[in-house]
Amino acid sequence: MPDTLSRYQALVDSGEISFDPAQAAVARRLSSLNESLASYRLARRKSSALAWLFSRGQKQEPVRGLYIWGDVGRGKTMLMDLFMATSPVRRKRRAHFHEFMADVHERIHAYRQKLKAGEVKGDDPIAPVAADLAEEAWLLCFDEFSVTDIADAMILGRLFGKLFEEGVVVVATSNVVPDLLYRDGLNRALFLPFIALMQQRMEVVKLESRTDFRMEKLSGQPVWLTPLGPQSDAAMDTAWSRLAGGAEGTPATLQVKGRSVAVPLQAHGTARFSFADLCEKPLGASDYLAIAHAFHTVLIDRIPVMKGLEKRNEAKRFINLIDALYDNQVKLVASAGDEPTRLYLSETGTEEFEFHRTASRLIEMRSDEYLSLPHARRSQPSADTGGIVET
């Protein structure tokens, strides 16, 4: 299997991305990590004769993960894509950090319910939860590592301490250096040992790319294409090629509260849907939140003008969709039947009133100020997702 650096160079050679020395340096470190993981995996296999040789008379040193941080749009998601594609580890998991922590809290709650029912013993759920997580995946990869919730902050030190004891290796991307995590948070002093633990078990690397590649691809380009027709369809194809770095993209699914949400096309943190995919199917707010958390840029093809009460369901879903994208500062490129203020035509129903806010948000989402914002979550419930699964 080609290593991460080779995959990166192949993208450069094909013209899908421009060469950036800072990105290449991080790709080289990810390749080195994959080499260490290959040996570490072999030593972990207790049934292997070679594992016996590894462990005989010496204890294997744990593999240090990577914490990659840098400004928005520098290529962190793309590099994580390449790392995951080239990783030799079979039991691996990639998730946005907030989704991972939502899963952890749900597991803790389930353990406490079993404790009340007398099905398990022990007062502290952290150790068994960490053991279960480590059994499922011993390589954990987190996109957009950030800590804003005190409930997360108060358990992270113990949780990751147990995960590291189980031999788990962690790779994460973030917009902030570890020392600034949970900055000004309540009881932050109790959080500081976790930062020290991360710095001990993860190599901290700053991705100092020369430019905001994402903004470079969007700035000066039309992101609201109207009217509908062959010209706007072609423009959407061009936008996809530019944003996906020339990659064709692959289908994927998002797991949301036990359901599967289909993603027709995705690559490098960008996803492409039709209006019918998103608003003519029975999707809800949690589904749209999962999409907003998983992708920094979303393309929507062929948004029609919605007329009358017979289109109120589609209009309501579209309102919820735009709310999720806007609140998480997701970048939107769309083709539509008309300008935002003329997309929903009805004189009755609450959707007509609510659509005024949606139209205002759509107009703001076209501005350079909005397009320059980092992909971020605000104080709202996280969708219970298990990450992106390519299909």
Side-chain angles (χ1 to χ4, degrees):
M1 176 181 290
D3 62 20
T4 307
L5 182 59
S6 297
R7 285 283 185 94
Y8 176 81
Q9 188 61 51
L11 290 177
V12 172
D13 293 343
S14 68
E16 292 188 27
I17 61 174
S18 300
F19 178 80
D20 180 82
Q23 290 180 347
V26 173
R28 187 173 294 108
R29 294 198 185 203
L30 289 167
S31 291
S32 178
L33 175 58
N34 267 334
E35 292 177 5
S36 299
L37 290 173
S39 299
Y40 188 58
R41 176 184 60 171
L42 185 62
R44 285 173 56 93
R45 291 170 55 190
K46 296 180 181 178
S47 61
S48 167
L50 286 176
W52 176 79
L53 289 174
F54 268 102
S55 61
R56 187 181 183 185
Q58 63 179 1
K59 183 178 180 180
Q60 189 185 24
E61 289 296 318
V63 172
R64 291 183 76 198
L66 275 178
Y67 183 100
I68 305 165
W69 72 280
D71 290 336
V72 63
R74 263 56 185 182
K76 298 186 294 294
T77 297
M78 179 266 294
L79 290 169
M80 183 72 91
D81 288 343
L82 297 179
F83 174 70
M84 287 295 289
T86 56
S87 172
V89 179
R90 290 187 178 275
R91 288 194 288 126
K92 57 190 173 184
R93 177 181 177 182
R94 178 181 182 177
H96 281 68
F97 187 66
H98 287 263
E99 272 72 58
F100 174 78
M101 290 308 299
D103 178 32
V104 167
H105 286 296
E106 185 172 312
R107 290 172 187 248
I108 290 173
H109 175 73
Y111 180 89
R112 287 173 174 158
Q113 293 301 110
K114 290 181 178 180
L115 188 63
K116 289 181 181 179
E119 299 175 15
V120 295
K121 294 182 179 180
D123 295 332
D124 185 9
I126 297 296
V129 166
D132 287 344
L133 290 167
E135 181 63 27
E136 294 169 12
W138 61 268
L139 174 61
L140 292 178
C141 298
F142 299 120
D143 292 301
E144 299 186 32
F145 196 104
S146 65
V147 183
T148 57
D149 189 319
I150 187 172
D152 292 346
M154 293 303 100
I155 69 169
L156 279 172
R158 291 190 297 134
L159 174 67
F160 274 72
K162 292 295 183 182
L163 287 172
F164 289 137
E165 285 178 13
E166 294 282 348
V168 171
V169 178
V170 177
V171 177
T173 64
S174 179
N175 293 333
V176 298
V177 67
D179 286 332
L180 295 184
L181 288 170
Y182 198 52
R183 186 179 184 180
D184 301 323
L186 190 63
N187 294 326
R188 188 173 187 265
L190 300 176
F191 180 76
L192 296 180
F194 170 67
I195 295 178
L197 178 65
M198 286 183 61
Q199 293 170 332
Q200 176 187 349
R201 296 301 298 267
M202 302 172 70
E203 182 182 1
V204 178
V205 179
K206 183 178 182 182
L207 179 55
E208 298 186 275
S209 293
R210 58 182 170 79
T211 187
D212 181 342
F213 292 97
R214 194 182 310 163
M215 184 62 183
E216 192 176 76
K217 292 174 182 177
L218 287 170
S219 182
Q221 301 293 328
V223 295
W224 188 264
L225 301 160
T226 188
L228 296 177
Q231 188 172 351
S232 61
D233 289 343
M236 288 292 288
D237 290 339
T238 300
W240 166 259
S241 180
R242 184 174 66 250
L243 290 164
E248 292 184 4
T250 57
T253 58
L254 295 173
Q255 298 301 321
V256 185
K257 297 182 177 179
R259 304 186 313 278
S260 295
V261 176
V263 182
L265 208 58
Q266 60 85 31
H268 303 320
T270 298
R272 187 173 184 179
F273 302 85
S274 69
F275 176 85
D277 294 327
L278 294 171
C279 299
E280 294 180 4
K281 296 180 179 179
L283 301 183
S286 60
D287 303 309
Y288 299 138
L289 280 174
I291 292 169
H293 290 178
F295 302 104
H296 57 69
T297 305
V298 169
L299 283 71
I300 305 176
D301 288 286
R302 294 187 159 267
I303 302 171
V305 174
M306 294 162 272
K307 298 181 180 180
L309 291 177
E310 65 271 17
K311 292 295 182 181
R312 66 184 302 178
N313 288 335
E314 290 87 343
K316 183 63 178 178
R317 293 186 191 112
F318 186 72
I319 290 168
N320 290 336
L321 169 64
I322 298 306
D323 283 346
L325 300 182
Y326 178 88
D327 285 340
N328 290 279
Q329 297 168 0
V330 175
K331 309 309 172 281
L332 174 67
V333 181
S335 61
D338 211 329
E339 291 297 322
T341 54
R342 297 189 291 271
L343 269 186
Y344 183 61
L345 306 176
S346 178
E347 296 181 356
T348 59
T350 58
E351 291 76 18
E352 192 276 334
F353 174 77
E354 293 176 356
F355 211 91
H356 289 298
R357 181 191 66 205
T358 299
S360 176
R361 288 186 164 187
L362 287 170
I363 292 170
E364 182 183 345
M365 291 167 79
R366 295 153 62 169
S367 68
D368 283 345
E369 290 78 9
Y370 180 89
L371 294 174
S372 65
L373 293 173
H375 181 208
R377 300 177 184 83
R378 301 191 180 170
S379 55
Q380 57 195 49
S382 295
D384 172 22
T385 71
I388 303 171
V389 179
E390 292 191 10
T391 54

